[in-house]
Amino acid sequence: MVGIIQDGASAPAPAPDLGFTVSHQKVHLDLELQSRKLKGRTEITINPHSTDLKTVKLNCRQAHITKLSINGRAASGMSHVDPYKLVPLPWAANAHQWHMLQDRVDGQNKDMPEPELSITLPKSVKIYELAPTAVLDSAGKPTSNSNEADLTQTKHMEDNGTRYSPVVMAIEYAIENIREGLDFAGWEEGDLIYPHAYTGKTSLLSTCCLFPCVDALDARCTWEISIRTPRTLGDAFNVIDQKSKLNGAPVDGVGHPSRSSKANNFSKEDQALDLIVICSGDVTDEIVDPVDPTRKTTSFLCSATVSAQHIGFAVGPFEHVNLAAFRDSDEDDKLGGSAIPVHGFCLPGRADEIRNTCLPMAKAMDFFVTTFGGYPYTAYKLCFVDGMVSDHLDTATLSIFSNRMLFPEDIIDPLDHVTREIIFGLACQWCGVDIIPCEPTDTWAVVGIAYFITDLFLRKLMGHNEYRFFQTKACERVCDMDVARPSIYESGLYLALDPSHMALISAKAPLVLFILDRRLTKASGSTGLSRIITRIFLQANVSEIPNGALSTAYFIRVCERLGHTKLDVFFDQWVLGAGCPHFQVTQRFNKKRLIVEMTIAQMQKAPDESQNMLKSSSFMRDVKEDAKEVYAGPLQQAFLGPMTIRIHEADGTPYEHIVDIDKTTTKVDIPYSTKYKRLKRTRRAREKLANGLAADPNADGGEDTLLYCLGDILQNPEEEADWRLSNFTREDEDKMSGESYEWIRMDADFEWICKLRINMPGYMFISQLQQDRDVSAQYDTISFLRDSKPHFLISTFLVKTVMDARYFHGIRTAAAAALANQAKEEVNFIGLFHLRKAFNELFCFSNTGIATSNDFSDRAAYYVRCAIIRAIAHIRDNARRSPIEAREFIFSKLRENDNSNNEFSDCFYIALMMKGLAEAQASAPLRDNEDAMMSLDDDGDDYRFHKRIVEEIDRHRRIDEWIPSYHNVVSVAALDCKRVLAKSGIIPKKAIEYLQYTQDGTYDDLRIAAFANLNALGFLKEDHILGWFLFVLGHDPSAYVRAHLLNVFGTFLGSIAIGSDTPINAVETTIQQAGNLVIEQEATTEARATDIARKQTIPGALAALKPELKSNETLKAALWSTINAPALTVPEISSLLYVCELLYEPVTALLISLKYPRYWKATNLGYIPAGNGKKAQQIVSFTHTNHVRTKQRDSSKALKLPPPNQPGIFRRDSGAVGTKSGKPQLSLKPPKKPSISNHGGMGPPGLPSAAGSGAPVSAGGAGSPGSIGTPGPDGLPKWKFKIKFGGGGGSGGQGK
């Protein structure tokens, strides 16, 4: 509710006040790309909020601070807690110590992560209160000249107008191993792509991994960035050690002391490629280092205030493509000098792909500028890189896209999705970078506006039908997604929890704005939401929106002010509320009163039993939401608002009526306007066709003929017989003649996100399909026919829709998909016949059934072609088996496929046929022996067909290995096909078929598919495969691969927790045999309840997960080794620690591994008699033996010394006294072999003198390392000695 937003009852806790704001930051980065090292310096200008500022807290990860100065003076008062230095645990820990490691990184997993760097301002730094017009000198002190004011400082003044002298901090640091914040691609040995690096966002705090900053979305300032890199690609692989530099080794690119072997993979032309730096902001200069010509420095200036999270850059041998060259000449002339430059950057050899992919970018830029106001920056850049985790990253003036988005001219399938995503990246420059959400809960408004203006441009680019059909499909998708989920307002709080929350916001938020636009347009007669968005962009440019932070409350106020209507109920339902309404409409015509009596009942769909079942793919999300107490929004009793009802009456005129839905069940009486009876359109259409009028719209009566133009094909008797078409019966025509209106269209203006069911007769829906030009109305009819019971007449109208090229291609493909439900035994599989007939008619030689050579130049025909194949693959009989005719049809088209004369690639088409054939075949296992594994060498007909299918799939897989398809889609499809066939028991399960694709060097998507299929087939339950999987997860250099393997690992845990291999109704039985009587006893009710809880509740699933895996020592060791892997980032480590939390009990322990003590061996080497003024000396050699002590020394045994003046063996116990059990507890391992130091010929400690006096004398005089002391309590002599371990000083010890 709006009041809730303003009162803050539902708002998240505000971010803590740091006590300062950052007005400007300078960053200098010196990159060593191959070694992944970085040296940097940053200068941060801080504006205090008061004179009491004592501590400045910044975000700074994985960096080692080398120097700190404040206002030009050296300072040392800082505390830096780097989470990367806290992992791994510095002792021999295991998975049971997960909580001890989690405590070390827990501060980084909070909603507001704790700053890592805390700097205490020295007392010498004084903060002055300034006048509003004061001017500061370089030291930050006010000067006498106060005629001018610093605009940057003035912008950050306090609300009361008070300003304080800024503090300038200069921090120098170094990063020895970049693990987060900067992704590297192509630098590993064996990589075949051009090496490059770019900023990657693996978490909310990734920028601080490259330089200290306030890494918050609302901490915005201006920036100066300079990046020092190698000048060319060859220079990046030249390694110069410090010793060579000191010796004066040449650094001119020739004769470097050492050179990486990776450089040998590139030709001289490639090595000469310049490394280009692309960064947020505008390029100011590029200077070659005068000392080292192999390096250069590129500088950038970002004069607009942006947050550190919107600073990004990329370094690599990129090619530049001027995308503004695709701007229309008339647009170029109209815009003149105000035209915004659009630049594209890609790796060498992909310039044609970026031209094809980004063709509409200049047109989109012009549309946004002319429709919504000026571009907030000076230029726009797109850079395509390899290995990105997400599809795109938005930074100021620069969008970094994944190379997965690029596609050449001969690829059709990714066109719609990719075009929308790259246009969305441009829209984010306005709403997403320049305008940010005020709070996480306001994310829906920013994302929704960006997608809304994206869809407006796509409507201009692709047409109204494409736009309308996309919104219709999006509405259907949102109604299915938004079940038992939080509202899009609350989902902003959980974006870091799981990507599904952003997926819900991205799907529902633009649709909410779409229906808001429809309602505002009708209510106020204005231009709708476009005017409101233009006003918001304008207010952000003139700083009327504080800090560019858009809040939900502010957005509502602007909408109400410009829309001249109250919208609190609308936002309560669609933004703050959750779910979508489902309407059930009943209608009848009252002939006496000449009204249409209508009852509109609405309900919110509660989760059914299938939706209550846990799924392995979303198991980890459900577990995290359960732990964070993320609950679904409450079901709303009723959605309120106006609804437009359009009644097409007997004269063919549509009459619109606006009904106010104000309660759960609404009853309305709609007046009837026409006084004429319904025209018999079906009979009149035949008469006009016979007279030749319907074929020529320009003939007399042509305007009336347009009523029957859609679907009026295949009407002569020969065609009807050939196609087995049906017509309305005389009884049906009589009913149609008696109706008072053609059809009723609910929500004709698309003002609701809902599902509608109306009890109209089927022939009214057919009239709507054939006569209503709105694709949404046509799709509603297709949906009704799809869910209806199979009937010959339904199949007739569906196949006519497929064959009529005048329909929008989305309607034709939907009709083809609906025909699959008409292929049932009760209608003699008429749907299968019509699908095959349509394919043969459209894409085969006449009367042969042999497919013609592929021609995909007509995109609509290509979509219909794919839809027919997909529909045939989905056909099932009453036993859920695919008919043999359907399988043979797909197999023949796959085998006969000819793409030699086609200018477009057929890889997606081949992959579609392969998947469809495998799924159809998997539904029909062998009937002869259902339980036995198929033998491919059998000679039976069924077996031979199975064998031919497997061979055809393998043939295409081998072709794809030699001639790779786009993104290896054929190989990925082949692996999926084999998984489907193996799960159904048609082919044996062989792990090696998938493991061969998991090796490094394979295309990323193919590797991920191989691991996913290994998990789907249960191979991850085998210890050696699970160990390999976790090793790759921890050590793969690609963040994209690691992210997807984490998802696979979560699916693996989910499948074990919920028992995906066993259905919920599986009942354990106990079999007892008594003579010839076999008794089967069902499992207890308690066991069934446990199984149901396991599959439907999180506590039940977790209770089943622990016993399954906690005793798996291989998993425990491999999981902990993965956590300690050097390639993982803190977010990835936290995700794996959470898995340990689910599986293992915490054990607080500090395990120390010590060796048992070993016996000493003392060899008496004799003595040197006295002479030349020296005393007699006894020489003894002490050495370790291989014999270890495992028992406590018996103290009752006295020490026996060897007789004097005779060689002998001196043995003493060096181990510490153990416990009462006799087992030693502690022994220190010396770093080197211990030895007794013999300083100046000193004798061994405690031995009698050479004179044999027997009196205890010093063995070597005063200050000797060993001497005999006074007798101990047991009467034995007590002596002291010193032993030197290695080169260190000796340690005193006592013995008996």
Side-chain angles (χ1 to χ4, degrees):
M1 292 170 282
V2 180
I4 291 180
I5 298 176
Q6 295 173 345
D7 298 338
S10 297
D17 184 14
L18 299 176
F20 65 90
T21 54
V22 178
S23 60
H24 185 69
Q25 184 164 355
K26 297 180 181 179
V27 178
H28 174 74
L29 303 177
D30 190 349
L31 293 173
E32 293 288 347
L33 296 174
Q34 189 189 16
S35 57
R36 303 193 180 192
K37 296 180 180 180
L38 182 151
K39 290 183 180 180
R41 184 182 188 276
T42 183
E43 186 177 293
I44 307 175
T45 302
I46 292 174
N47 291 333
H49 292 172
S50 68
T51 58
D52 298 330
L53 180 64
K54 303 299 181 183
T55 304
V56 175
K57 294 184 177 181
L58 302 174
N59 299 105
C60 180
R61 291 185 182 180
Q62 73 181 2
H64 172 64
I65 308 298
T66 58
K67 186 177 180 181
L68 172 65
S69 63
I70 302 177
N71 285 349
R73 298 180 180 180
S76 59
M78 69 173 183
S79 173
H80 185 207
V81 181
D82 182 11
Y84 284 101
K85 294 181 180 179
L86 302 177
V87 293
L89 295 176
W91 63 82
N94 57 41
H96 288 283
Q97 278 80 59
W98 57 264
H99 61 294
M100 304 178 73
L101 181 56
Q102 192 177 62
D103 291 341
R104 292 175 166 232
V105 299
D106 189 52
Q108 308 301 319
N109 300 325
K110 298 179 180 178
D111 294 335
M112 297 297 297
E114 300 173 356
E116 297 84 7
L117 180 60
S118 178
I119 300 175
T120 302
L121 298 181
K123 295 182 179 179
S124 60
V125 176
K126 303 297 183 181
I127 300 177
Y128 301 90
E129 183 175 333
L130 305 176
T133 59
V135 179
L136 307 178
D137 59 13
S138 59
K141 297 182 179 180
T143 63
S144 58
N145 183 10
S146 300
N147 295 329
E148 298 181 6
D150 189 340
L151 295 180
T152 303
Q153 298 173 25
T154 304
K155 186 175 181 179
H156 296 278
M157 289 172 56
E158 293 296 298
D159 294 337
N160 56 8
T162 306
R163 284 198 308 148
Y164 301 92
S165 58
V167 178
V168 180
M169 290 186 172
I171 304 173
E172 297 182 11
Y173 60 96
I175 303 176
E176 293 299 322
N177 181 26
I178 301 177
R179 297 173 62 173
E180 186 181 359
L182 192 65
D183 292 342
F184 295 83
W187 299 94
E188 300 292 330
E189 291 291 339
D191 282 343
L192 301 179
I193 60 177
Y194 286 94
H196 56 287
Y198 54 91
T199 51
K201 300 291 185 181
T202 57
S203 65
L204 294 178
L205 300 184
S206 292
T207 308
C208 64
C209 297
L210 298 179
F211 51 83
C213 60
V214 179
D215 205 349
L217 196 61
D218 57 349
R220 296 152 69 94
C221 65
T222 55
W223 296 82
E224 291 182 55
I225 303 171
S226 60
I227 302 175
R228 186 171 181 261
T229 62
R231 185 173 56 86
T232 65
L233 183 60
D235 294 333
F237 292 104
N238 293 331
V239 182
I240 306 173
D241 55 27
Q242 296 298 325
K243 183 177 179 180
S244 301
K245 288 183 178 180
L246 295 176
N247 293 336
V251 291
D252 57 354
V254 180
H256 283 78
S258 61
R259 185 176 180 84
S260 172
S261 59
K262 173 73 174 177
N264 299 327
N265 297 335
F266 299 97
S267 63
K268 293 182 179 180
E269 292 78 6
D270 288 338
Q271 295 183 29
L273 292 173
D274 289 334
L275 288 183
I276 298 177
V277 181
I278 311 162
C279 182
S280 301
D282 302 321
V283 180
T284 57
D285 55 39
E286 182 176 295
I287 302 174
V288 177
D289 197 318
V291 178
D292 185 359
T294 64
R295 301 185 69 80
K296 65 178 181 180
T297 301
T298 310
S299 301
F300 301 85
L301 173 65
C302 189
S303 56
T305 58
V306 296
S307 68
Q309 295 183 6
H310 290 144
I311 296 296
F313 63 89
V315 182
F318 298 112
E319 291 185 11
H320 173 251
V321 178
N322 183 18
L323 298 177
F326 296 101
R327 183 176 280 122
D328 296 337
S329 58
D330 54 345
E331 291 288 337
D332 205 1
D333 296 338
K334 182 171 62 175
L335 295 172
S338 61
I340 304 298
V342 181
H343 305 281
F345 296 90
C346 61
L347 294 176
R350 311 198 71 167
D352 290 337
E353 294 183 25
I354 197 174
R355 291 188 184 96
N356 181 70
T357 305
C358 302
L359 182 65
M361 292 306 296
K363 185 182 290 292
M365 173 66 76
D366 298 340
F367 174 81
F368 290 151
V369 169
T370 56
T371 306
F372 302 107
Y375 181 60
Y377 309 107
T378 57
Y380 180 59
K381 295 161 285 189
L382 303 90
C383 183
F384 290 83
V385 297
D386 273 314
M388 278 191 67
V389 177
S390 59
D391 287 338
H392 74 275
L393 172 65
D394 302 313
T395 66
T397 74
L398 169 66
S399 293
I400 303 177
F401 289 92
S402 171
N403 273 338
R404 299 185 299 272
M405 306 289 285
L406 291 176
F407 60 95
E409 293 181 354
D410 61 344
I411 297 296
I412 301 176
D413 295 70
L415 175 63
D416 297 330
H417 165 70
V418 170
T419 301
R420 188 170 189 256
E421 285 303 310
I422 62 174
I423 301 300
F424 173 72
L426 174 60
C428 286
Q429 296 296 309
W430 277 270
C431 201
V433 178
D434 185 54
I435 296 177
I436 60 175
C438 184
E439 298 290 345
T441 50
D442 303 318
T443 303
W444 76 270
V446 175
V447 174
I449 291 175
Y451 271 118
F452 179 79
I453 64 178
T454 297
D455 293 337
L456 288 183
F457 170 73
L458 292 178
R459 180 177 64 181
K460 178 182 178 182
L461 180 68
M462 298 183 176
H464 181 77
N465 279 348
E466 188 83 43
Y467 174 73
R468 187 81 170 185
F469 185 75
F470 176 83
Q471 300 295 345
T472 303
K473 295 288 289 184
C475 178
E476 186 178 54
R477 184 170 63 254
V478 168
C479 289
D480 294 333
M481 291 175 60
D482 196 8
V483 177
R485 302 298 299 156
S487 66
I488 57 175
Y489 179 79
E490 293 181 347
S491 294
L493 297 172
Y494 315 119
L495 297 180
L497 198 64
D498 191 80
S500 62
H501 293 282
M502 179 55 78
L504 178 62
I505 292 176
S506 300
K508 187 176 180 179
L511 205 56
V512 170
L513 296 184
F514 171 76
I515 65 173
L516 174 63
D517 175 68
R518 304 295 297 174
R519 295 192 183 186
L520 288 176
T521 303
K522 291 184 62 176
S524 61
S526 64
T527 56
L529 198 59
S530 297
R531 179 189 174 198
I532 295 172
I533 295 175
T534 303
R535 176 65 63 87
I536 291 175
F537 289 171
L538 177 62
Q539 291 173 342
N541 289 335
V542 298
S543 301
E544 290 188 14
I545 299 179
N547 203 28
L550 179 64
S551 66
T552 300
Y554 182 86
F555 181 74
I556 295 175
R557 288 198 302 270
V558 175
C559 291
E560 290 180 340
R561 185 169 64 250
L562 298 182
H564 309 291
T565 183
K566 296 295 291 182
L567 297 171
D568 51 345
V569 175
F570 178 87
F571 284 97
D572 285 348
Q573 296 174 157
W574 299 108
V575 176
L576 303 180
C580 300
H582 291 237
F583 289 99
Q584 185 67 40
V585 182
T586 58
Q587 52 81 31
R588 60 179 293 270
F589 180 70
N590 191 324
K591 294 183 179 180
K592 293 182 179 180
R593 301 173 56 191
L594 290 179
I595 60 173
V596 179
E597 299 174 344
M598 189 171 294
T599 303
I600 306 173
Q602 65 168 300
M603 64 195 75
Q604 270 227 57
K605 183 180 180 182
D608 53 25
E609 184 177 352
S610 62
Q611 290 175 319
N612 284 329
M613 301 290 291
L614 296 176
K615 299 178 181 178
S616 59
S617 58
S618 60
F619 172 73
M620 291 304 298
R621 182 199 73 185
D622 296 334
V623 170
K624 293 176 182 178
E625 290 181 348
D626 184 73
K628 295 289 185 180
E629 297 182 350
V630 179
Y631 301 117
L635 293 178
Q636 303 184 50
Q637 295 298 323
F639 282 79
L640 312 179
M643 178 179 290
T644 301
I645 301 175
R646 182 180 299 156
I647 299 180
H648 292 256
E649 297 189 1
D651 61 349
T653 303
Y655 293 89
E656 290 190 354
H657 307 272
I658 298 178
V659 177
D660 188 24
I661 307 297
D662 55 356
K663 50 188 175 181
T664 304
T665 302
T666 304
K667 296 184 178 181
V668 294
D669 294 336
I670 300 176
Y672 188 72
S673 303
T674 305
K675 305 303 180 183
Y676 305 100
K677 291 186 177 180
R678 186 184 191 280
L679 301 178
K680 300 180 181 179
R681 299 191 183 278
T682 303
R683 186 174 303 169
R684 289 182 58 199
R686 291 180 180 176
E687 295 172 356
K688 291 184 178 183
L689 179 64
N691 295 331
L693 296 177
D696 186 5
N698 297 322
D700 295 337
E703 294 181 359
D704 196 20
T705 306
L706 290 176
L707 295 173
Y708 323 103
C709 64
L710 293 178
D712 59 346
I713 60 174
L714 305 177
Q715 290 188 342
N716 60 59
E718 293 80 8
E719 290 176 331
E720 289 181 351
D722 187 31
W723 284 77
R724 301 182 189 174
L725 302 179
S726 301
N727 289 311
F728 287 113
T729 62
R730 174 65 64 177
E731 182 181 356
D732 293 331
E733 292 190 356
D734 292 341
K735 290 182 179 179
M736 295 167 62
S737 301
E739 294 290 349
S740 300
Y741 44 84
E742 297 279 351
W743 71 89
I744 298 177
R745 175 83 197 284
M746 303 295 297
D747 190 23
D749 287 340
F750 208 149
E751 302 171 78
W752 291 76
I753 307 173
C754 64
K755 286 190 174 181
L756 277 162
R757 290 295 180 189
I758 184 171
N759 66 335
M760 285 195 309
Y763 48 78
M764 289 190 178
F765 279 104
I766 298 300
S767 298
Q768 178 175 288
L769 173 65
Q770 294 182 338
Q771 300 174 34
D772 201 321
R773 296 299 191 273
D774 187 0
V775 294
S776 296
Q778 297 169 2
Y779 186 77
D780 290 343
T781 298
I782 297 297
S783 300
F784 169 79
L785 299 178
R786 178 192 61 204
D787 299 335
S788 301
K789 293 182 178 180
H791 195 278
F792 291 99
L793 195 58
I794 294 178
S795 185
T796 295
F797 288 107
L798 287 176
V799 73
K800 287 184 177 183
T801 304
V802 172
M803 295 299 297
D804 195 342
R806 293 167 296 180
Y807 279 106
F808 177 67
H809 68 79
I811 301 301
R812 298 175 66 191
T813 56
L819 274 172
N821 295 334
Q822 302 300 317
K824 300 297 181 182
E825 295 179 6
E826 50 266 34
V827 289
N828 198 22
F829 291 99
I830 187 62
L832 174 58
F833 172 80
H834 282 157
L835 286 170
R836 294 175 60 184
K837 184 72 173 176
F839 190 94
N840 293 337
E841 186 72 19
L842 294 173
F843 311 111
C844 294
F845 293 104
S846 300
N847 302 322
T848 62
I850 300 176
T852 60
S853 180
N854 293 338
D855 181 10
F856 299 161
S857 57
D858 186 348
R859 192 161 66 100
Y862 170 73
Y863 289 152
V864 172
R865 185 187 195 124
C866 294
I868 293 176
I869 294 294
R870 190 181 296 111
I872 293 176
H874 289 166
I875 292 176
R876 300 292 184 269
D877 58 17
N878 294 338
R880 304 301 301 164
R881 292 174 178 265
S882 175
I884 186 62
E885 295 84 0
R887 287 176 279 149
E888 288 179 343
F889 180 84
I890 301 176
F891 177 75
S892 64
K893 298 303 174 280
L894 177 61
R895 185 181 55 184
E896 299 167 0
N897 182 66
D898 178 18
N899 204 59
S900 57
N901 299 322
N902 190 13
E903 61 178 336
F904 295 93
S905 172
D906 64 345
C907 58
F908 282 96
Y909 180 58
I910 291 176
L912 172 66
M913 289 190 290
M914 291 170 60
K915 290 181 180 180
L917 182 60
E919 292 174 358
Q921 187 66 25
S923 70
L926 300 176
R927 299 178 182 270
D928 296 337
N929 190 354
E930 297 286 348
D931 299 325
M933 186 65 67
M934 186 200 75
S935 174
L936 294 181
D937 296 330
D938 197 284
D939 294 332
D941 292 339
D942 288 341
Y943 293 105
R944 285 201 300 269
F945 184 65
H946 283 57
K947 183 177 181 180
R948 291 164 62 195
I949 290 176
V950 176
E951 289 176 347
E952 189 67 19
I953 292 174
D954 279 333
R955 183 177 72 89
H956 286 283
R957 178 183 58 82
R958 290 192 298 269
I959 292 175
D960 194 56
E961 291 178 355
W962 287 99
I963 308 175
S965 59
Y966 175 77
H967 291 177
N968 288 117
V969 294
V970 175
S971 294
V972 173
L975 293 183
D976 293 340
C977 292
K978 289 201 168 186
R979 182 249 307 163
V980 170
L981 295 175
K983 290 193 72 172
S984 64
I986 293 178
I987 61 175
K989 297 180 181 180
K990 296 180 181 179
I992 190 61
E993 293 184 349
Y994 308 94
L995 286 173
Q996 62 180 334
Y997 293 102
T998 62
Q999 301 294 322
D1000 192 16
T1002 309
Y1003 182 68
D1004 288 348
D1005 287 341
L1006 188 55
R1007 296 181 67 198
I1008 295 168
F1011 278 117
N1013 286 315
L1014 283 171
N1015 174 53
L1017 292 174
F1019 284 116
L1020 289 189
K1021 296 179 181 179
E1022 300 181 11
D1023 290 346
H1024 61 286
I1025 297 181
L1026 180 59
W1028 165 245
F1029 171 83
L1030 291 174
F1031 176 83
V1032 176
L1033 172 59
H1035 295 82
D1036 196 274
S1038 172
Y1040 174 72
V1041 173
R1042 296 198 305 270
H1044 281 78
L1045 291 189
L1046 272 174
N1047 294 335
V1048 174
F1049 190 49
T1051 305
F1052 164 72
L1053 297 175
S1055 62
I1056 294 178
I1058 65 179
S1060 298
D1061 297 335
T1062 57
I1064 192 171
N1065 56 359
V1067 181
E1068 296 181 359
T1069 58
T1070 302
I1071 301 178
Q1072 300 178 358
Q1073 186 170 359
N1076 295 328
L1077 180 63
V1078 177
I1079 303 175
E1080 294 187 4
Q1081 183 177 358
E1082 293 187 353
T1084 62
T1085 305
E1086 182 180 356
R1088 285 186 54 83
T1090 302
D1091 186 60
I1092 293 175
R1094 175 182 188 176
K1095 297 181 181 299
Q1096 293 185 350
T1097 65
I1098 293 297
L1102 294 179
L1105 178 64
K1106 277 190 176 182
E1108 292 278 353
L1109 296 178
K1110 70 177 182 179
S1111 60
N1112 190 328
E1113 296 298 329
T1114 301
L1115 171 63
K1116 185 184 299 184
L1119 181 57
W1120 191 249
S1121 176
T1122 302
I1123 291 174
N1124 295 327
L1128 294 189
T1129 62
V1130 167
E1132 293 167 339
I1133 293 173
S1134 301
S1135 298
L1136 294 177
L1137 287 175
Y1138 190 70
V1139 174
C1140 293
E1141 182 180 354
L1142 300 179
L1143 298 180
Y1144 308 116
E1145 295 294 333
V1147 177
T1148 303
L1150 180 62
L1151 304 179
I1152 301 178
S1153 177
L1154 299 174
K1155 293 185 177 181
Y1156 280 119
R1158 290 188 292 172
Y1159 283 100
W1160 289 85
K1161 178 181 180 181
T1163 305
N1164 193 340
L1165 302 180
Y1167 77 100
I1168 301 176
N1172 297 327
K1174 296 182 179 180
K1175 296 182 179 181
Q1177 298 178 357
Q1178 188 75 31
I1179 302 176
V1180 180
S1181 175
F1182 288 82
T1183 57
H1184 263 139
T1185 66
N1186 293 327
H1187 182 55
V1188 297
R1189 177 185 295 280
T1190 58
K1191 296 182 180 180
Q1192 182 182 6
R1193 183 179 66 85
D1194 189 359
S1195 60
S1196 62
K1197 295 182 180 180
L1199 178 66
K1200 297 180 180 180
L1201 297 177
N1205 303 328
Q1206 296 182 10
I1209 301 299
F1210 177 76
R1211 171 179 280 180
R1212 63 175 297 276
D1213 298 327
S1214 60
V1217 178
T1219 58
K1220 295 181 179 180
S1221 62
K1223 295 182 179 180
Q1225 298 297 311
L1226 181 65
S1227 175
L1228 297 178
K1229 177 183 177 183
K1232 295 183 179 180
K1233 180 178 180 181
S1235 62
I1236 300 297
S1237 178
N1238 190 354
H1239 296 280
M1242 293 182 294
L1247 291 181
S1249 65
S1253 63
V1257 297
S1258 174
S1264 64
S1267 61
I1268 297 178
T1270 58
D1274 53 1
L1276 295 176
K1278 184 176 182 181
W1279 36 267
K1280 299 179 179 179
F1281 60 89
K1282 290 184 177 180
I1283 301 178
K1284 291 186 69 178
F1285 294 93
S1291 58
Q1294 293 184 357
K1296 292 183 181 179

